[in-house]
């Protein structure tokens, strides 16, 4: 395949910034859904590890709420609120990136790092998480894979909706 067959990323935005952000938040929700499905498949068939309540505990610390016991209804509720809320809000970042011309697979790799940074910053600034390089290597790989599933799903949808770019 020669360079003359390559398709450049369009520089013309089809929609306004606020619409781009709205669509991107929906794309972030789709990214969370794919990340969640990937995680559940991994837990069910590969690792058999339990659910993590770190997102919910992080939200509790941010809102100055008590840490609910893992597995309780309240813990599950705040866990989902943080898990989905963080992914939806992060999706808006990818929309702004696309709106200003930072799009395509390379932009998605950048967004993957942004998503990981958001997660780790919130978890560690609240004292809930541990620095990722102190985790067992298997956990590091799983976290990278789950966030990649999120970033690539979100990025693909955003580029399609904001720029009508097809990979």
């Amino acid at each position: 395949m020669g360079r003359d067959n390559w398709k450049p990323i369009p520089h013309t935005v089809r929609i306004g910034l606020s619409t781009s952000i709205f669509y991107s938040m929906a794309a972030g929700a789709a990214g969370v859904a794919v990340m969640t499905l990937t995680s559940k498949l991994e837990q069910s068939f590969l690792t058999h590890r339990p659910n993590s309540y770190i997102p919910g505990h992080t939200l509790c610390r941010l809102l100055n709420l008590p840490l609910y016991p893992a597995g309780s209804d309240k813990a599950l509720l705040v866990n989902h609120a943080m898990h989905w809320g963080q992914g939806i809000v992060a999706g808006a970042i990818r929309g702004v990136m696309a709106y200003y011309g930072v799009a395509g697979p390379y932009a998605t790799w950048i967004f993957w790092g942004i998503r990981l940074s958001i997660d780790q910053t919130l978890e560690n600034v609240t004292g809930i998480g541990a620095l990722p390089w102190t985790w067992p290597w298997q956990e590091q790989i799983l976290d990278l894979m789950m966030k990649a599933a999120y970033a690539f799903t979100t990025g693909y949808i955003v580029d399609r909706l904001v720029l009508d770019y097809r990979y």
Side-chain angles (χ1 to χ4, degrees), residues 64-85:
N64 202 27
L65 297 171
L67 299 181
Y68 302 113
S72 70
D73 289 343
K74 286 184 179 180
L76 189 61
L77 179 67
V78 294
N79 212 47
H80 279 295
M82 183 63 162
H83 183 70
W84 288 87

Side-chain angles (χ1 to χ4, degrees), residues 58-133:
T58 301
L59 182 59
C60 286
R61 279 280 168 84
L62 288 169
L63 298 177
N64 202 27
L65 297 171
L67 299 181
Y68 302 113
S72 70
D73 289 343
K74 286 184 179 180
L76 189 61
L77 179 67
V78 294
N79 212 47
H80 279 295
M82 183 63 162
H83 183 70
W84 288 87
Q86 189 176 354
I88 290 168
V89 171
I93 295 169
R94 185 61 175 80
V96 171
M97 290 170 67
Y99 183 83
Y100 286 105
V102 184
Y106 190 77
T108 295
W109 281 103
I110 293 169
F111 181 60
W112 183 32
I114 291 170
R115 179 63 179 85
L116 286 162
S117 297
I118 292 169
D119 215 35
Q120 290 307 309
T121 300
L122 291 174
E123 289 174 10
N124 286 290
V125 80
T126 58
I128 293 297
L131 298 171
W133 50 87

Side-chain angles (χ1 to χ4, degrees), residues 6 11 14 19 28 35 46-47 68 74-75 103 131 133 139 154 157 164:
W6 291 6
H11 296 287
R14 304 175 331 132
T19 304
M35 180 175 65
L46 297 175
T47 64
Y68 302 113
K74 286 184 179 180
L131 298 171
W133 50 87
E139 289 290 324
T154 303
I157 295 170
D164 196 28

